[in-house]
Amino acid sequence: MAEHTEDAASLLDSVLETIHDKLPGHHSSSDSDSDDEKSKKKSEVSSAAASVTASVNRLFGRQKPVHSLFGGGKSADVILWRNKQVSASVLVGATAIWFLFECMGYHLLTLICHLLILSITVTFLWSKGSAFINKQSADIPKVAFSEEMFQNVASAFRFEINRLFAVLHDVASGKDLKKFVVVVAGLWILSLIGSCTSFLTLFYVAFLIAHTVPLLYEKYEDQIESFAEKAWEEIKKQYRIFDIKVLSKIPRGPLKEKKF
């Protein structure tokens, strides 16, 4: 796709040069004017090529950058590895949780109790040790969650639940048969995958995909766009062959005339 864009830009450049040479009074103009016109022409060609690239390099008609598709906030920064330390910490934490629950057989209540025992013991020893060395007790900060934080979390959770119900209502209303078939097929495939593995493993795999695929797509966008375009053309070609050989040979009853 990038090669097509470069060919289009070079073709446009050659055409503009030919037209510029054929214009009357071209040879009588000064060298400075010619240089200015050539620089202006090259800038126009580069801007045209950039606009062609921006309009073509979009997967499935995407108009926004990848960062905007994920909300453009801190979550998008974590997913796209804008801050490598934070993203790596989140990935390591998720991997540790999956390893503890799935591989070592930890339970949630057991893990919470062990973490509380460890944190309380470390804090107690730190307080006693600092008082013994510095002759004064350590200032242990108090941890308290604000009401606003819980309200924001509950509001965001409520919004996502309502949007899910709206999508399910739209699918179940019978307005779009294609969307209904896609949703039912997706849920059926998800149920088959869920029967083969645990929910935690499935969630961890989805978490890994969310932290690797968008980053790779943003890094190798041109190659992926070119491959996706070729794959989509091949899918449409195979569907046309299937339509000619199979679907067109299925007998259909006579269609009734529509009354207007």
Side-chain angles (χ1 to χ4, degrees), residues 56-103:
V56 173
N57 291 335
R58 292 293 183 267
L59 188 62
F60 303 119
R62 179 175 58 85
Q63 298 298 329
K64 296 181 180 180
V66 181
H67 190 267
S68 299
L69 292 178
F70 290 96
K74 294 182 179 180
S75 60
D77 294 338
V78 172
I79 291 174
L80 297 176
W81 292 73
R82 293 291 190 265
N83 191 340
K84 294 182 179 180
Q85 294 181 353
V86 176
S87 300
S89 301
V90 172
L91 185 59
V92 169
T95 304
I97 292 174
W98 174 80
F99 180 78
L100 288 174
F101 284 104
E102 193 68 23
C103 299

Side-chain angles (χ1 to χ4, degrees), residues 16-33:
L16 289 176
E17 287 180 357
T18 305
I19 296 174
H20 184 70
D21 293 336
K22 297 297 182 180
L23 289 175
H26 170 69
H27 299 287
S28 61
S29 61
S30 61
D31 295 335
S32 60
D33 295 338

Side-chain angles (χ1 to χ4, degrees), residues 106-238:
Y106 251 89
H107 296 284
L108 180 60
L109 182 60
T110 305
L111 180 62
I112 292 175
C113 292
H114 287 177
L115 290 177
L116 289 175
I117 292 172
L118 179 62
S119 60
I120 291 173
T121 304
V122 171
T123 305
F124 178 81
L125 293 177
W126 176 45
S127 177
K128 291 299 181 181
S130 61
F132 179 77
I133 296 173
N134 300 329
K135 303 300 182 180
Q136 59 182 2
S137 60
D139 187 12
I140 301 175
K142 294 182 179 180
V143 179
F145 295 101
S146 62
E147 183 180 356
E148 182 180 0
M149 186 187 67
F150 279 98
Q151 290 178 354
N152 293 333
V153 172
S155 178
F157 187 72
R158 181 182 62 84
F159 176 76
E160 296 298 332
I161 292 295
N162 289 335
R163 188 170 66 172
L164 176 61
F165 284 157
V167 171
L168 294 177
H169 179 270
D170 187 31
V171 172
S173 61
K175 298 179 181 179
D176 193 347
L177 180 60
K178 182 178 179 180
K179 184 185 293 186
F180 172 77
V181 173
V182 169
V183 171
V184 171
L187 291 176
W188 181 68
I189 294 173
L190 188 62
S191 66
L192 292 179
I193 297 175
S195 62
C196 299
T197 183
S198 64
F199 176 76
L200 182 61
T201 302
L202 183 62
F203 182 79
Y204 178 67
V205 171
F207 185 84
L208 288 180
I209 292 174
H211 278 73
T212 53
V213 173
L215 177 64
L216 294 176
Y217 173 71
E218 189 181 37
K219 188 175 181 180
Y220 304 101
E221 185 174 358
D222 294 335
Q223 294 85 343
I224 295 175
E225 293 285 350
S226 178
F227 177 77
E229 184 181 4
K230 294 178 181 179
W232 183 246
E233 292 296 331
E234 184 65 25
I235 290 173
K236 291 193 294 185
K237 179 181 177 182
Q238 296 298 327

